[in-house]
Amino acid sequence: MSIVLLGPPGAGKGTQARLLSEHLKLPHISTGEILRAAREARTPLGQSAEKYMREGKLVPDELIVDLVQNRLKETDCRQGYILDGFPRNLAQAKSLRQKHIVLSLGVDAEELVRRISGRRQCGQCGQTYQIHFQPPKEAGKCDRCGGELRQRDDDREEVVRKRLRVYENETAPLLGYYRDKGQLVMIQGIGDVQEIFQSLVQVLSR
Ligand code: AP5
């Protein structure tokens, strides 16, 4: 089963992709995580991507499309995978040849800004927290592994607003593209994380 999670920044794609990955035993492929790891390791990809990410823009397709294609050819993707953050525009969508189930998480802009401004992520295991709604037991520390919690540098409010505009202009048109192909399922992304996860599981079991 090959799944694409669509949705604006902060819609919960990463949160739900991690839960689905554990539940379905399928790899979670997050292009944002791949790019952030490359940036941290100062690889050529990371260095090229850095300024686009800092400004809340999409990195150019030529940096990301082949990378995803190669990742999908790895053996752990044979039974399927969960794509989080890809595709982000029509050219990227057209680079995916096989059929996918496309799950789109809908959340309004005000809630997105609130969620992102309170997001913290574990520097070691990647677990995300929301300091207002889902805080860790001990401030600044990951419940799972004890790692240090950090704020992403593109989570500043002005960059978040730019990312939301980029989503509207470049990614939201994919909803029509996948609707026309009969591959789109819209999911309400507001509410309890576990309840949203259960609706995704229900859709996938149909
Ligand atoms: P990326 O990392 O993909 O960021 P994004 O799409 O902006 O998405 P986010 O990670 O911000 O949000 P999310 O939907 O995963 O939400 P999350 O689960 O974390 O991309 C970053 C950058 O990389 C891009 O701007 C671009 O530059 C580049 N890039 C990446 N892919 C690219 C591509 N294909 N092409 C070109 N460039 C690319 O949740 C958010 C917060 O809300 C968390 O704190 C979480 O705990 C909380 N939360 C989750 N669910 C709920 C809920 N139900 N209720 C309350 N809080 C919740």
Side-chain angles (χ1 to χ4, degrees), residues 13-62:
K13 302 182 296 294
T15 303
Q16 295 298 333
R18 276 185 281 277
L19 292 171
L20 285 174
S21 169
E22 271 176 33
H23 179 74
L24 299 169
K25 310 273 178 274
L26 293 175
H28 167 201
I29 301 169
S30 157
T31 45
E33 293 293 340
I34 293 171
L35 291 169
R36 278 186 288 281
R39 199 178 51 179
E40 201 133 308
R42 311 291 307 154
T43 65
L45 167 68
Q47 287 177 337
S48 310
E50 183 163 16
K51 79 175 163 63
Y52 298 98
M53 296 174 78
R54 206 176 37 231
E55 292 173 11
K57 296 178 180 164
L58 295 186
V59 308
D61 291 343
E62 52 272 27

Side-chain angles (χ1 to χ4, degrees), residues 111-123:
E111 167 79 4
L112 294 172
V113 174
R114 202 171 31 237
R115 280 188 190 179
I116 293 181
S117 63
R119 169 169 48 195
R120 298 292 181 275
Q121 186 160 24
C122 175

